[in-house]
Amino acid sequence: MKRREFIRAGGTAAAGSLFVRPGLTKKQRIKIALVGTGVRGQGMWGHDLVEDYSDVVEFVGLCDINPGRLEYVKQHIGVTCPTYTDFDRMMLETQPDMVIVATVDSTHHQYIVRAMELGSDVITEKPMTTDAEKCQEILDAQALTRKNVTVTFNYRYSPHRAKMKELLMNNRIGKVTSVDFHWYLDIYHGADYFRRWHGKERFGGTLFVHKATHHFDLLNWWLESEPEEVFAYGELEYYGHNNDFRHTNCRGCPHTDKCEHYWDITQSKFYMDFYVANEHHDGYLRDGCVWSEEIDIYDKMSAQIKYANGVHVSYSCTTYSPYEGYRIAFNGTEGRLEAWIKERQPWEDLPYDELRVTDNFGETELIQIPHGGGGHGGGDRRLKDHIFKGEDTPDPYRQAAGARDGAMSILIGVAARESVKTGEPIRIESLTSLKPRVVRP
């Protein structure tokens, strides 16, 4: 076989059989290098690891293209390790056991691939990458290096989503045949995606990839199958060019008195010290204008997804809703499992999430699941516990996620994006060497 064909064949197998957690003895601390020191990097993968996991991890290097932010983060999270703007140099000088990748989405593949080539396992923020070609590069590199890739799908770990998984695994509603899944971002959280780099397709791959990879991974995980075909629609009809005034960013904007999306970054000392004080290094404006004509992603999205096991999914995402949360319903041969999960609603601060199970020819059962506490419904802490302290922990719901999981989630988004542009359904198997399986491996 030609080298490329060998790599592709190997990548399919390797991505389906990952050892997710690090294989170190309990007396050793994991040597960690972090690349990408934005809010997610400095917070969840910086400050929180130092505060809660210093007994099992040791930072040996921080890397970012912005030297000012690097120094701020080093002080903020309280480490003494060296900082770098050159990734290869950091890798060669520090020899980390594991690299955490939290850079701009479109650059994830560069660091994932290079880290594996230089001998490290990888933890990467979602989405694993932003297009099919970059995804294949990761699969190819993993096939050659046999290193481990963990994708941080924290949504799998929140208690109410795990309860859904349990009910579906136990066939509570029989065989699942279809799913209705609709996500709502409110006008504050939703707008923030268009204020930041995520509003440009070249950086985040559209919200079909950056945001919805969370949702698509949940579907793959809940349904225990892999996507086969996608047909989608998408429009930009609220943000971007859909306004008669705009400015480069909120600071100094002459339209603040009439812009409902005006955001005063100067009210946050952290943002001022973290972003504004360092924007001269790379030109990144954290308070960008949501009406910028450079915005080229969709703010309204819908997709039909056909799974290899025959399940049909209707999905949508709205980015300018008055409230935030999602509605989901699993339709089965023996009943229906549904939920209306509310997030960020100050007028309804319930201490639990509620699931509704209705049997065909039977009764309705309401199940209340207490909130997990912490980020992403309690998922952040449980995910990190699983990665860094879970060597001997059972994984009955198969929550740990590897490169194949990362690929299958982003490939739905990539296929949806291509479907919007071509007007045609997109087969998942046409995108990379991975062939969808009826049962998730």
Side-chain angles (χ1 to χ4, degrees):
M1 298 173 69
K2 294 181 180 179
R3 178 177 179 275
R4 184 70 174 176
E5 292 171 344
F6 170 79
I7 293 174
R8 284 177 176 267
T12 303
S17 55
L18 291 173
F19 173 68
V20 178
R21 292 180 293 278
L24 300 173
T25 69
K26 294 188 183 227
K27 293 182 179 179
Q28 292 176 288
R29 288 199 296 170
I30 306 165
K31 294 193 297 182
I32 297 285
L34 170 66
V35 57
T37 57
V39 164
R40 192 71 168 163
Q42 67 83 27
M44 179 167 177
W45 301 113
H47 176 271
D48 292 358
L49 288 195
V50 171
E51 187 170 271
D52 300 325
Y53 300 89
S54 288
D55 58 325
V56 291
V57 304
E58 173 191 5
F59 276 92
V60 296
L62 302 176
C63 183
D64 200 290
I65 61 171
N66 189 311
R69 196 162 61 232
L70 260 179
E71 288 305 317
Y72 178 89
V73 169
K74 179 178 178 177
Q75 298 300 317
H76 178 72
I77 68 178
V79 294
T80 58
C81 64
T83 59
Y84 300 85
T85 56
D86 185 317
F87 181 73
D88 276 23
R89 182 183 172 193
M90 178 181 73
M91 293 295 295
L92 295 171
E93 290 185 2
T94 65
Q95 298 289 302
D97 301 310
M98 184 172 290
V99 172
I100 299 176
V101 178
T103 58
V104 170
D105 298 347
S106 58
T107 65
H108 283 183
H109 70 294
Q110 301 173 22
Y111 301 109
I112 294 171
V113 169
R114 192 63 179 142
M116 289 192 288
E117 290 175 344
L118 294 175
S120 291
D121 293 329
V122 177
I123 297 173
T124 180
E125 264 295 328
K126 61 83 193 166
M128 188 172 75
T129 188
T130 54
D131 63 42
E133 292 74 19
K134 294 171 182 176
C135 181
Q136 189 66 58
E137 287 185 41
I138 295 170
L139 300 177
D140 293 349
Q142 190 184 41
L144 285 178
T145 64
R146 314 304 293 182
K147 304 306 293 184
N148 306 319
V149 176
T150 300
V151 186
T152 58
F153 286 126
N154 44 14
Y155 273 9
R156 293 185 180 193
Y157 289 84
S158 63
H160 80 269
R161 296 179 183 107
K163 183 63 177 181
M164 290 188 210
K165 176 69 171 178
E166 176 189 325
L167 293 169
L168 294 170
M169 287 177 65
N170 292 334
N171 298 313
R172 179 63 179 79
I173 59 170
K175 180 180 182 293
V176 177
T177 57
S178 65
V179 183
D180 310 312
F181 193 11
H182 306 291
W183 202 282
Y184 311 96
L185 294 170
D186 68 29
I187 53 173
Y188 305 105
H189 186 198
D192 214 34
Y193 288 106
F194 297 83
R195 187 176 286 121
R196 298 177 287 171
W197 54 262
H198 308 77
K200 284 79 172 178
E201 181 180 334
R202 66 185 182 276
F203 296 132
T206 78
L207 294 183
F208 263 134
V209 176
H210 173 79
K211 180 62 179 176
T213 187
H214 261 324
H215 314 154
F216 298 148
D217 175 71
L218 283 173
L219 286 167
N220 298 346
W221 176 61
W222 278 325
L223 298 175
E224 281 294 349
S225 188
E226 294 185 328
E228 193 172 70
E229 186 174 87
V230 180
F231 182 79
Y233 292 103
E235 299 286 347
L236 178 62
E237 66 176 17
Y238 180 85
Y239 300 104
H241 63 268
N242 296 287
N243 196 44
D244 59 3
F245 61 82
R246 56 191 44 81
H247 193 59
T248 53
N249 58 304
C250 288
R251 276 168 293 149
C253 178
H255 309 293
T256 58
D257 60 332
K258 59 181 178 180
C259 182
E260 292 183 315
H261 287 291
Y262 169 66
W263 177 55
D264 187 0
I265 194 173
T266 67
Q267 295 300 304
S268 168
K269 184 179 186 306
F270 170 75
Y271 279 120
M272 291 297 290
D273 293 343
F274 188 59
Y275 283 115
V276 176
N278 297 303
E279 63 189 20
H280 64 282
H281 291 292
D282 56 15
Y284 177 54
L285 301 175
R286 177 59 180 82
D287 59 339
C289 182
V290 300
W291 311 121
S292 170
E293 292 184 318
E294 292 184 18
I295 291 171
D296 60 354
I297 66 170
Y298 316 117
D299 55 23
K300 178 182 75 173
M301 298 156 281
S302 62
Q304 294 294 122
I305 309 164
K306 179 183 177 184
Y307 276 79
N309 66 355
V311 174
H312 291 183
V313 175
S314 296
Y315 169 83
S316 71
C317 180
T318 303
T319 63
Y320 41 88
S321 173
Y323 47 73
E324 180 138 341
Y326 66 95
R327 295 180 184 268
I328 190 164
F330 299 87
N331 303 297
T333 55
E334 297 177 19
R336 179 177 167 98
L337 166 62
E338 57 191 316
W340 170 207
I341 304 299
K342 304 174 183 67
E343 301 177 353
R344 294 163 54 89
Q345 268 68 260
W347 63 84
E348 189 173 12
D349 187 19
L350 299 176
Y352 58 83
D353 293 307
E354 190 170 76
L355 309 181
R356 176 186 293 266
V357 183
T358 305
D359 296 316
N360 289 351
F361 309 106
E363 301 295 324
T364 291
E365 176 187 6
L366 298 179
I367 304 172
Q368 294 178 351
I369 302 97
H371 292 159
H376 294 89
D380 286 355
R381 180 58 184 257
R382 288 169 173 80
L383 167 69
K384 287 179 287 189
D385 281 350
H386 204 170
I387 293 174
F388 298 112
K389 295 186 176 181
E391 294 91 341
D392 302 319
T393 303
D395 189 12
Y397 300 140
R398 301 180 63 211
Q399 288 165 303
R404 187 179 183 104
D405 299 292
M408 283 298 173
S409 67
I410 67 117
L411 291 176
I412 298 178
V414 170
R417 190 178 67 210
E418 294 306 306
S419 179
V420 173
K421 293 178 180 179
T422 64
E424 300 291 335
I426 304 296
R427 301 282 295 179
I428 296 295
E429 66 181 4
S430 71
L431 300 174
T432 68
S433 60
L434 297 179
K435 306 304 177 188
R437 298 186 185 179
V438 174
V439 179
R440 188 173 70 93

